[in-house]
């Protein structure tokens, strides 16, 4: 079933999220970092994600690192030009480059506040998305690296169908879209 989710998500991620008049919160997070050197040792993996406040569309992708180049490329690939982007003050988010690329960029300094008292900018939606995405990972005490993409795809698939109906109906619909029956005469 995760293969169906993966194919559906990769087909739908051809279209980017956000757009003029929309806000997309972005953030990066480490998966499989051990706390206090306890627990299973799994390779560390950075995940970059975004969620549109208005439509609730979201994406989570594996990235090799969180450098300016990597994050800039991902933003341009997954977020429409003209979008207002909210992030924390991580130096990998180059405000000047984002502005030149056609985005509006607002930040919140998490060292001082979770909500900027002057502008009201916050990244609570993407932080909540991380909590939900990592819950399954923690529940199972980690995810094998070769399965991580498919688990993220299943999570995003479930997020994107939200409360629109029964997941079983959607999975059947996605199966029929991806594997049409062959009729032989």
């Amino acid at each position: 079933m995760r293969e169906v989710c993966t194919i559906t998500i990769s087909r739908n991620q051809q279209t980017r999220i956000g757009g003029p008049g929309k806000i997309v919160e972005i953030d990066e997070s480490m998966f499989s970092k051990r706390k206090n050197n306890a627990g299973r040792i799994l390779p560390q993996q950075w995940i970059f994600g975004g969620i549109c406040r208005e439509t609730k569309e979201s994406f989570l992708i594996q990235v090799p690192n969180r450098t300016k180049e990597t994050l800039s490329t991902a933003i341009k690939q997954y977020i429409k030009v003209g979008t207002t982007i909210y992030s924390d003050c991580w130096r990998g988010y180059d405000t000047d480059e984002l502005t030149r690329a056609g985005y509006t960029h607002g930040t919140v300094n998490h060292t001082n506040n979770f909500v900027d008292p002057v502008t009201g900018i916050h990244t609570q939606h993407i932080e909540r998305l991380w909590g939900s995405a990592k819950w399954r990972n923690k529940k199972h005490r980690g995810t094998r690296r070769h399965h991580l993409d498919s688990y993220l795809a299943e999570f995003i698939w479930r997020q994107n169908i939200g409360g629109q109906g029964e997941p079983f109906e959607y999975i059947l619909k996605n199966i029929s879209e991806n594997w049409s029956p062959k009729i032989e005469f």
Side-chain angles (χ1 to χ4, degrees), residues 12-13 18 21 23 25 81 83 90 92 105 109 114 125 135 140-141 143 150 152 169 176:
N12 291 343
Q13 281 188 342
I23 298 169
E25 295 179 16
V81 173
T83 301
W90 172 245
H105 186 218
N109 187 342
F114 288 106
H125 294 92
W135 178 83
H140 292 278
R141 294 181 182 86
T143 300
S150 66
L152 292 174
E169 293 173 17
S176 69

Side-chain angles (χ1 to χ4, degrees), residues 38-71:
R40 236 169 41 169
I41 299 174
L42 290 170
Q44 296 182 345
Q45 179 61 60
W46 283 105
I47 306 295
F48 175 69
I51 183 167
C52 181
R53 284 188 180 177
E54 291 77 17
T55 65
K56 306 298 182 227
E57 293 175 304
S58 54
F59 67 89
L60 297 176
I61 58 166
Q62 291 188 50
V63 290
N65 53 48
R66 54 188 191 143
T67 63
K68 282 183 188 179
E69 295 77 23
T70 301
L71 297 177

Side-chain angles (χ1 to χ4, degrees), residues 73-139:
T73 301
I75 289 168
K76 292 172 187 170
Q77 183 177 356
Y78 288 94
I79 301 174
K80 293 178 185 173
V81 173
T83 301
T84 299
I85 296 174
Y86 288 172
S87 71
D88 55 22
C89 290
W90 172 245
R91 65 179 178 260
Y93 303 123
D94 187 347
T95 299
D96 293 335
E97 184 179 337
L98 290 174
T99 303
R100 283 192 303 274
Y103 301 98
T104 304
H105 186 218
T107 61
V108 58
N109 187 342
H110 285 159
T111 305
N112 302 325
N113 313 329
F114 288 106
V115 178
D116 187 290
V118 176
T119 62
I121 293 172
H122 65 83
T123 57
Q124 298 302 305
H125 294 92
I126 189 69
E127 297 296 344
R128 173 67 176 101
L129 189 72
W130 287 131
S132 297
K134 287 184 172 187
W135 178 83
R136 188 234 158 258
N137 196 50
K138 287 177 184 178
K139 183 177 133 187

